[in-house]
Amino acid sequence: QVQLVESGGGLVQPGGSLRLSCVASGSIGLIDTMGWYRQAPGNERELVARISSFSVTFYTDSVKGRFTISRDNDKNTVYLQMNSLKPEDTAVYYCKLRTWAREDYWGQGTQVTVSS
């Protein structure tokens, strides 16, 4: 019954910006953390950014200063603002939700392509 709906992916030129959104719905329970992961061809899936219920954030080093994660707890929504995008950011981006009961839910993924 839990569904994560992502939006905002697409094709952008280097140096451009995108904002990803993920809205959770269904019988989720109490949400602990929400985050974004990405996976490029041939690479392992990696954590990009994560935000807790109390807005404590984490970013992988490669995106610090360029990406910003935020959430709206009332709307069960998490965002990823991506600025100064690089070709190396090209990947499928996945939204992940974890409840206080340590149940994990994943979105279907959205493609982000950074190319001139």
Side-chain angles (χ1 to χ4, degrees), residues 5-72:
V5 179
E6 301 161 324
S7 62
L11 175 65
V12 66
Q13 293 183 334
S17 298
L18 288 173
R19 190 181 77 154
L20 305 183
S21 299
C22 175
V23 182
S25 62
S27 301
I28 306 171
L30 297 177
I31 299 174
D32 182 8
T33 62
M34 302 183 76
W36 292 93
Y37 293 70
R38 67 186 181 187
Q39 187 168 20
N43 292 346
E44 298 292 323
R45 186 173 298 185
E46 65 172 345
L47 174 64
V48 177
R50 184 172 57 209
I51 185 167
S52 76
S53 299
F54 304 101
S55 298
V56 177
T57 59
F58 168 85
Y59 300 92
T60 191
D61 286 343
S62 63
V63 308
K64 286 181 179 177
R66 299 189 298 120
F67 291 10
T68 302
I69 190 170
S70 61
R71 67 187 290 175
D72 186 329

Side-chain angles (χ1 to χ4, degrees), residues 70-102:
S70 61
R71 67 187 290 175
D72 186 329
N73 291 329
D74 292 335
K75 298 179 180 179
N76 290 339
T77 301
V78 63
Y79 306 92
L80 186 67
Q81 178 67 46
M82 304 185 293
N83 298 326
S84 301
L85 283 162
K86 304 175 181 180
E88 297 77 46
D89 297 317
T90 296
V92 178
Y93 284 70
Y94 298 90
C95 176
K96 180 187 175 182
L97 180 157
R98 171 166 283 192
T99 70
W100 288 354
R102 301 197 179 277

